[in-house]
Amino acid sequence: MPEKDAGLWQSLYDSLPPVLPWISTLFLSALATIAQYAQKVRSGEAFSLQALILDAVVCIFVGICTHMLCELAGITGYGRSALVAISAHMGTRSMLIYERWRDRVLGVDQ
């Protein structure tokens, strides 16, 4: 007797484990963006949707880069989540650190 098709929901459930780390990285990066921008607004900067979107793009990019570096280094689970959250919260500061490191590795003078 032929087996019954499991259906759409079962297919989605079966395909979830490989993408779950990426979803959690995006979620943590978005939360870090909110925390970073809230800190800026509380310190006296005026709220700007354009600045929030720019910070979100930078923080999520940094979170994804950190996720990929953790995958390369074999760091998984809570360790990867902590590194992603911290580096995404640092946002533009971590991008500056990365650019300095890149220039030093490539030998680019300032």
Side-chain angles (χ1 to χ4, degrees), residues 8 19 27 36 39 41 43 50-51 53 66 70 75 78 83 88 95-96 105 110:
L8 175 67
V19 297
F27 180 71
Q36 178 191 25
Q39 183 179 7
V41 170
S43 68
Q50 184 179 6
I53 291 171
T66 304
C70 287
I75 301 171
Y78 292 124
L83 289 171
M95 283 298 296
L96 181 63
V105 167
Q110 297 295 0

Side-chain angles (χ1 to χ4, degrees), residues 4-12:
K4 233 179 169 180
D5 184 20
L8 175 67
W9 293 112
Q10 185 63 39
S11 300
L12 289 174

Side-chain angles (χ1 to χ4, degrees), residues 6-106:
L8 175 67
W9 293 112
Q10 185 63 39
S11 300
L12 289 174
Y13 181 76
D14 291 340
S15 64
L16 190 62
V19 297
L20 196 57
W22 290 100
I23 293 170
S24 67
T25 293
L26 292 174
F27 180 71
L28 285 172
S29 298
L31 286 179
T33 301
I34 293 168
Q36 178 191 25
Y37 198 73
Q39 183 179 7
K40 284 182 181 180
V41 170
R42 288 181 74 196
S43 68
E45 184 178 310
F47 179 80
S48 168
L49 186 60
Q50 184 179 6
L52 176 62
I53 291 171
L54 181 62
D55 279 358
V57 168
V58 170
C59 290
I60 290 172
F61 176 73
V62 168
I64 289 172
C65 288
T66 304
H67 178 92
M68 290 190 294
L69 289 173
C70 287
E71 286 288 321
L72 186 65
I75 301 171
T76 60
Y78 292 124
R80 180 180 54 217
S81 296
L83 289 171
V84 165
I86 291 168
S87 66
H89 177 68
M90 289 178 59
T92 54
R93 289 175 286 183
S94 56
M95 283 298 296
L96 181 63
I97 291 169
Y98 166 73
E99 288 172 356
R100 286 183 191 158
W101 174 78
R102 179 202 62 197
D103 293 344
R104 189 174 48 228
V105 167
L106 295 177

